[in-house]
Amino acid sequence: MQVSQVEQVVKKIPDSQELEKILNLIDLYGNRPENLIQILHGTQQIAGHIPLTLQCIIAEKLSIPVSEVSGVVSFYSFFSAKPRGKHIIRVCLGTACYVRGGKKLVETLQHKLQVNLGETTADGQFTLEIARCIGACGLAPAMMIDDEVFRQVNPNKVDSILQQYEGGRSS
Amino acid sequence: MIQCTIKRQSISVLEGTTILEAAKQNHIRIPNLCYMEGLHSTGSCRICSVEVVGAKTLMAACVTEVREGMQVFTHSKKVQDARKMLYQLLLSDHHQDCLRCNRNLECEFQELGRELGVTQSLFQTTSSRSAKDEGPSIVRDTSKCILCQRCVTVCQDIQGVGAIRVQNRGFQSVVAPAMELPLAQVNCANCGQCTIVCPVGALEGTDATEIVWQALHDPNVRVVMQCAPAIRVAIGELFDYPVGTRVTGKLAAAMKALGADDVFDTNWAADLTILEEGTELLHRLLKSLEGQPAAFPMITSCSPGWIKFVEHQYPHLLDHLSSCKSPHMMLGALSKSYYAEKLGINPKKIFVVSVMPCTAKKFEITREEMIHDGLKDVDAVLTTRELGRMIRQAGIDFRQLKDIPFDQPMGFSTGAADIFGVTGGVMEAALRTVYTVLSGRPLPFAKLHVESIRGMDEVKEATLVLQDLLPQYHALEGAHVKVVVTSGLHGARVLMDQIQAGNSPYLFMEVMGCPGGCITGGGQPRSHDPEVRSKRMKALYEEDESKVLRESHANPSIDALYREYLGEPCGERSHHLLHTHYIKRAPIIP
């Protein structure tokens, strides 16, 4: 995935209102439908999520139906149409992590954060998701918070990990 | 040419032919489900899988081209077993409520199961999708959807709307509008073409039979029924007549037999539409000659799917639309005014039922602009398919019915009205009248037909030179009236983009929302005949030519209506009853 390239593009956009930035982004990608995924990545980076209103704007600019934009947004788990938390927790449920207690980890997190999978905590700090193998099978069970990987996480470690992110401190 | 064998039969076909087409050309049947000839071949259902000697896996016949020397087996044990398993897998995620499904016994998926010899469900599961979205025109029942995506193809590629598409992934996949909004909240035009191609009961017109039965059984209600031109050349198919059989008299008799008090003909109102719309065009022409602003081309407004489309996609160009209501709405409005007065009854006691080839008309009658003095112009719209169902439910033997004429005073029509049901027909009917009004002579073409605007081309045009006009129209002498016709919303988009860009050379434009016009509207019988369009088209032109009077302005009962009630075309009463306005809509309504 060309996330890093998209990041570079987003960095080039001068600081302005969110919507203006997104329009600028679409322009940088030449208003071309084949760049839809990159545009969605950039939009998500700028706005945090891609609600229907933004999907409509993207669709109009690219001259494609909104149903197509929504189809892509809902297909990829990295895109979200709903607001997401400040930090994204992804618990790996690939085979290795699954057998070594990944599921228990999910349950613990659900309980501690009081959210279901895909949901965001009431204070907007965390969104809980699952991932299908993050390539850290030797460190199972693994989870990621934003870009950081945590190895051999057991339910007892969860509190101390979460504490690193609470109270506005980020990695 | 390519030589190959299918089922050990040597065949030779053109390069680029798929296995499925090659088989078909040689009368070899390969079971298939998602395939639609010329429209949709994505290999998504895999039912057409065949064994190709030397290939590692089974190949989907609809997307695999034949190669030189290819040996294909269509019904080997391997293929038959695989096909059955594929069917079982599709079935495992399908809501198996066949007895209560409106497609029972008319379901392609059901027929396929019989063809493959599937007699049991291997997998006991519940459907992963269960949303039911009941809009004014179309009902979506995703629990029955088998994700073949024919509807997606028709909506996007044929109609150019793209209201629905696959959302989500894996078991959560569902064909739905953006963000799984209801159809009524997005840019769906309600054309119903998706309900024609759906092989199962996942997409169907919204049922109106219940409320119509209620009205028919209520002794205090006077039920006025009317039917569109396209019904008379299609409903016969539901009673085993060949495609393109004209059954006008039996259709009128069937509506009477159902219990309608009056059986009127929407054709009558089509003649009326020509007078109103023709006059509107003339007024615009004269206005622009006086230097006043007038939007050209003027565009026909009979097709409510087209109207909803343009309201969403080109809200800034609505002044191009004729202000005329569609013909059945005119007849409805006059039933509750002109006719009620004639009868001396309270219009509130009249219940107007329109039998239409169209699902968009179901939405049209709910529009606020179509309610006058607290009365709905039309109370219920039945599709051709629904009327067929009601005729069966009432135990009426359609084939044995004696032909009867439509009732007066809203039952007589000219040939010009018949062709309203086919692409190019409204334009031809309008030209017949406008030319005669201006020149005092009939349209100077053989059999009054404007050949260049007929048929299935996406965009068709004609130019009429106005010469030797009557003195009062001297100002228009020598004018070249350039007209254009399209059917299907894809073509409409092409012409609207032209208007938007400011280089549309036309004065008058006809748009019908469905490809081919109302004859193959979203409410018509589903046909397996690849020539269904041309056959129904031919039948409507025959109906036109069978009549003595073939110009709308020659209709004596329309003349009487103006004398007795309306005064003049586009007069004050007409404006109140027969004209409407349009609404600017967003491309998608959040």
Side-chain angles (χ1 to χ4, degrees), chain B residues 481-497:
Chain B
V481 177
K482 207 164 178 192
V483 302
V484 67
V485 169
T486 191
S487 67
L489 296 171
H490 186 270
R493 196 186 279 279
V494 173
L495 293 176
M496 290 310 288
D497 284 344

Side-chain angles (χ1 to χ4, degrees), chain A residues 56 65 67-68 70-71 74-75, chain B residues 156 162 165 167-169 179 588:
Chain A
C56 288
S67 61
E68 185 178 341
S70 163
S74 61
F75 184 91
Chain B
Q156 173 66 44
R165 205 161 183 112
Q167 308 292 321
N168 307 328
R169 181 175 43 159
M179 301 291 289
I588 182 168

Side-chain angles (χ1 to χ4, degrees), chain B residues 77-360:
Chain B
K77 177 162 173 27
K78 190 175 169 190
V79 170
Q80 281 187 320
D81 288 351
R83 229 176 249 151
K84 267 191 195 173
M85 180 54 76
L86 285 162
Y87 186 88
Q88 292 280 7
L89 289 168
L90 286 170
L91 191 65
S92 74
D93 202 19
H94 175 72
H95 186 44
Q96 298 167 42
D97 191 18
C98 300
L99 283 182
R100 290 185 296 171
C101 178
N102 61 52
R103 290 296 292 274
N104 191 25
L105 304 179
E106 308 170 53
C107 170
E108 290 179 47
F109 193 44
Q110 206 176 38
E111 279 168 34
L112 181 68
R114 205 165 38 217
E115 179 180 351
L116 301 181
V118 174
T119 52
Q120 55 176 349
S121 301
L122 277 184
F123 310 105
Q124 294 300 329
T125 56
T126 50
S127 173
S128 59
R129 301 167 293 272
S130 60
K132 197 159 181 180
D133 167 16
E134 208 156 334
S137 282
I138 293 166
V139 179
R140 257 177 358 107
D141 183 348
T142 56
S143 70
K144 293 174 183 166
C145 176
I146 53 166
L147 296 173
C148 71
Q149 300 187 47
R150 283 182 181 181
C151 53
V152 173
T153 297
V154 164
C155 191
Q156 173 66 44
D157 297 351
I158 307 297
Q159 292 295 61
V161 174
I164 45 174
R165 205 161 183 112
V166 178
Q167 308 292 321
N168 307 328
R169 181 175 43 159
F171 265 118
Q172 275 74 48
S173 298
V174 60
V175 174
M179 301 291 289
E180 298 179 58
L181 287 169
L183 273 181
Q185 282 183 32
V186 300
N187 61 337
C188 169
N190 298 318
C191 74
Q193 288 298 314
C194 57
T195 70
I196 295 280
V197 298
C198 182
V200 292
L203 285 158
E204 179 55 295
T206 306
D207 180 81
T209 60
E210 285 300 319
I211 55 163
V212 173
W213 278 127
Q214 242 173 50
L216 286 168
H217 288 145
D218 187 339
N220 297 316
V221 171
R222 187 174 183 110
V223 177
V224 167
M225 271 183 121
Q226 57 169 322
C227 66
I231 316 296
R232 64 207 68 195
V233 296
I235 196 167
E237 291 163 38
L238 298 175
F239 302 97
D240 302 324
Y241 285 93
V243 175
T245 308
R246 293 189 277 143
V247 292
T248 315
K250 289 193 183 352
L251 170 59
M255 292 193 283
K256 239 339 183 247
L258 280 175
D261 297 280
D262 304 283
V263 174
F264 292 140
D265 194 351
T266 311
N267 276 19
W268 177 83
D271 278 334
L272 177 61
T273 301
I274 287 299
L275 287 172
E276 290 290 326
E277 205 164 76
T279 306
E280 188 186 352
L281 180 66
L282 212 52
H283 285 176
R284 282 198 200 199
L285 278 173
L286 295 170
K287 226 172 126 181
S288 83
L289 282 175
E290 286 165 15
Q292 293 178 53
F296 287 109
M298 186 175 103
I299 316 173
T300 58
S301 55
C302 303
S303 168
W306 148 243
I307 294 296
K308 181 126 187 295
F309 173 81
V310 77
E311 286 178 329
H312 281 293
Q313 308 296 329
Y314 302 91
H316 51 294
L317 296 176
L318 296 181
D319 57 344
H320 286 267
L321 292 172
S322 158
S323 62
C324 287
K325 288 182 185 171
S326 69
H328 84 116
M329 301 306 294
M330 289 195 183
L331 197 145
L334 288 168
S335 296
K336 295 187 181 187
S337 52
Y338 170 62
Y339 188 54
E341 266 180 46
K342 254 185 193 274
L343 291 176
I345 69 167
N346 185 345
K348 282 188 180 138
K349 293 200 163 168
I350 294 181
F351 189 90
V352 179
V353 179
S354 303
V355 182
M356 296 286 128
C358 183
T359 47

